[in-house]
Amino acid sequence: AVKFSHDRIRQGCCTLVPSDENVARMLHLDIGTALRRLYSGEVEEGLQSQKQSTWMLFSAVDHLNIAFEMKKCSNEDAGREGELSQEKLREEYINLAALNLEAGEKAISLA
């Protein structure tokens, strides 16, 4: 997983991503999906500290929210999700909502 020491560094890296929104959306989707899989334990990466686990959850939610918002804003159905049925797309939104709820509850517990 990529971790930036400062938001400005992350923003700078994001400017290096091609301006094609479909490419950017797919990049956010790939990063968010990878972080979600690491967070949920789908990928065995050894034991994580609580801090790493929390970072993965919040980062995954951030990237997936960006990807889904970009998808919603663009009326294109290009790319990997182009062939998704309405039912599958609805399932993805429900999964994202559940992950957002989990992140929100985690944020409240840390406050």
Side-chain angles (χ1 to χ4, degrees):
V2 176
K3 184 175 181 179
F4 298 101
S5 60
H6 195 277
D7 281 341
R8 293 285 185 181
I9 296 171
R10 182 178 62 87
Q11 290 170 351
C13 289
C14 286
T15 62
L16 298 174
V17 175
S19 62
D20 180 19
E21 285 195 20
N22 191 47
V23 172
R25 179 171 41 91
M26 297 313 295
L27 181 62
H28 282 292
L29 185 61
D30 289 346
I31 293 170
T33 300
L35 289 170
R36 181 197 50 80
R37 291 182 67 211
L38 283 169
Y39 170 75
S40 66
E42 291 178 33
V43 177
E44 195 63 42
E45 285 290 320
L47 297 175
Q48 307 166 15
S49 71
Q50 182 67 24
K51 187 176 180 180
Q52 288 172 323
S53 179
T54 300
W55 177 86
M56 276 190 245
L57 172 61
F58 293 153
S59 295
V61 167
D62 186 39
H63 281 286
L64 291 171
N65 282 337
I66 292 168
F68 276 81
E69 186 62 31
M70 291 175 82
K71 172 66 177 157
K72 194 167 64 172
C73 290
S74 73
N75 291 326
E76 301 173 350
D77 279 334
R80 276 180 272 174
E81 63 268 26
E83 299 300 318
L84 290 180
S85 67
Q86 289 297 322
E87 185 176 316
K88 180 68 175 165
L89 192 57
R90 182 171 184 242
E91 182 181 320
E92 290 294 325
Y93 278 112
I94 289 171
N95 290 338
L96 180 60
L99 198 60
N100 272 282
L101 176 62
E102 186 175 350
E105 289 172 341
K106 183 70 157 179
I108 289 170
S109 74
L110 294 173

